[in-house]
Structures are given as structure tokens and as C-alpha cells.
């Protein structure tokens, strides 16, 4: 499914382009979104083949945690963190019925956040997305 003309085009960043980051990228690209990634491992060639902008640590990107990300990213950037509750073997054939947790670390534009989450829910509507804050009642990562 590709992004429709009425769908908002997002600029999405992925910190960490290992197995799960690449897994997310495939869906994000299919939806026609703009993607930028950074990772400890050098993925410039793969990103180039996928049409993704890659920024290495040499480019000055030093995001090592959610908290560092919130401090380094521009104040007008929304920050939504996601994490799979499954491993590469469980998701190798897709993520239907699997769980992904997310935390709205800094979301100023709920419509943008919803558009992002809908990228995945429209692909696999039976996956489960759990808002950590709603489940734990706190905004602290456990």
C-alpha cells in the first residue's frame, strides 16, 4: 500500500538500523514516507539501495538513549519510541498478531503521531500496539 495524496507525508527517523530497524523501514517505505536512519553499524550501502538517508556517528549523530534523543533532537520534533515484543525469528514472516510497544516521549502533534501508528496498523490490523504510559501509569521507562 502506498501513501495516498490525502495522507500526510512524514519525515521519520530510526535510531538503530539492525534487524528491527530494517523491518520497520520496509513498511515505512511501502507507505511512501521519507526515512532517515542512524546506527552504530555502517549501513550506507544498504540504505542507498533502499532509498534511505543514512547518517553515521561520524556525521555527529550520538543518540544512545531515549533521553539523549529528547535532548539532541530539535524541540519541534516529535519523539515516539517503539519496540517489538518479539524477536527476528518470530517476525520473519511478518508481524501479524505480534505486539509492539510504544511510548510518546515528546508528542506535540497527535495527528502526526496517529499517522505514524496508522502506517503499521493499516498494514497488519491484527498486530497489537501498547502505549507504555497507559499501561503503567507512568512516563518512566522500566
Amino acid at each position: 500500500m502506498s501513501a495516498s495524496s490525502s495522507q500526510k507525508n512524514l519525515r521519520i527517523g530510526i535510531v538503530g538500523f539492525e534487524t528491527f530497524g530494517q523491518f520497520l523501514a520496509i513498511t515505512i517505505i511501502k507507505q511512501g514516507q521519507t526515512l532517515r536512519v542512524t546506527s552504530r553499524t555502517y549501513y550506507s550501502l544498504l540504505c542507498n539501495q533502499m532509498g534511505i538517508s543514512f547518517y553515521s556517528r561520524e556525521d555527529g549523530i550520538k543518540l544512545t538513549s531515549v533521553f539523549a534523543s529528547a535532548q539532541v533532537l530539535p524541540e519541534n520534533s516529535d519523539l515516539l519510541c517503539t519496540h517489538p515484543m518479539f524477536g527476528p525469528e518470530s517476525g520473519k514472516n511478518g508481524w501479524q498478531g505480534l505486539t509492539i510497544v510504544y511510548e510518546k516521549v515528546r508528542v506535540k502533534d497527535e495527528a502526526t503521531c496517529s499517522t505514524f501508528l496508522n502506517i503499521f496498523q493499516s498494514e497488519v490490523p491484527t498486530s497489537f500496539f501498547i502505549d507504555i504510559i497507559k499501561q503503567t501509569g507512568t512516563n518512566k521507562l522500566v
Side-chain angles (χ1 to χ4, degrees):
M1 176 184 290
S2 62
S4 69
S5 58
S6 63
Q7 183 181 9
K8 184 176 184 177
N9 189 312
L10 303 176
R11 291 177 295 166
I12 300 168
I14 294 179
V15 177
F17 201 57
E18 306 302 325
T19 306
F20 185 62
Q22 292 172 32
F23 185 68
L24 288 177
I26 291 167
T27 298
I28 292 169
I29 290 168
K30 278 198 309 188
Q31 293 284 330
Q33 305 299 333
T34 302
L35 186 58
R36 296 177 180 143
V37 302
T38 185
S39 192
R40 283 181 241 175
T41 305
Y42 195 72
Y43 286 104
S44 183
L45 181 60
L46 176 61
C47 287
N48 190 41
Q49 292 169 346
M50 295 176 75
I52 299 170
S53 298
F54 177 78
Y55 299 89
S56 69
R57 286 185 172 240
E58 291 79 33
D59 294 326
I61 308 288
K62 294 185 173 137
L63 304 179
T64 57
S65 72
V66 172
F67 306 106
S69 299
Q71 292 173 353
V72 172
L73 293 173
E75 192 63 33
N76 64 345
S77 297
D78 286 345
L79 182 57
L80 176 79
C81 295
T82 59
H83 194 277
M85 298 306 291
F86 55 90
E89 284 300 308
S90 300
K92 71 182 177 185
N93 296 316
W95 49 8
Q96 188 161 356
L98 300 175
T99 302
I100 297 174
V101 296
Y102 66 90
E103 181 174 1
K104 295 177 181 179
V105 177
R106 183 177 66 209
V107 174
K108 295 181 179 197
D109 185 343
E110 286 294 331
T112 297
C113 181
S114 292
T115 299
F116 175 79
L117 292 174
N118 285 334
I119 289 171
F120 306 103
Q121 291 169 340
S122 67
E123 285 287 315
V124 187
T126 58
S127 291
F128 301 97
F129 292 81
I130 300 171
D131 185 337
I132 294 172
I133 295 173
K134 285 183 181 174
Q135 293 297 312
T136 64
T138 178
N139 64 353
K140 296 180 181 176
L141 294 176
V142 180

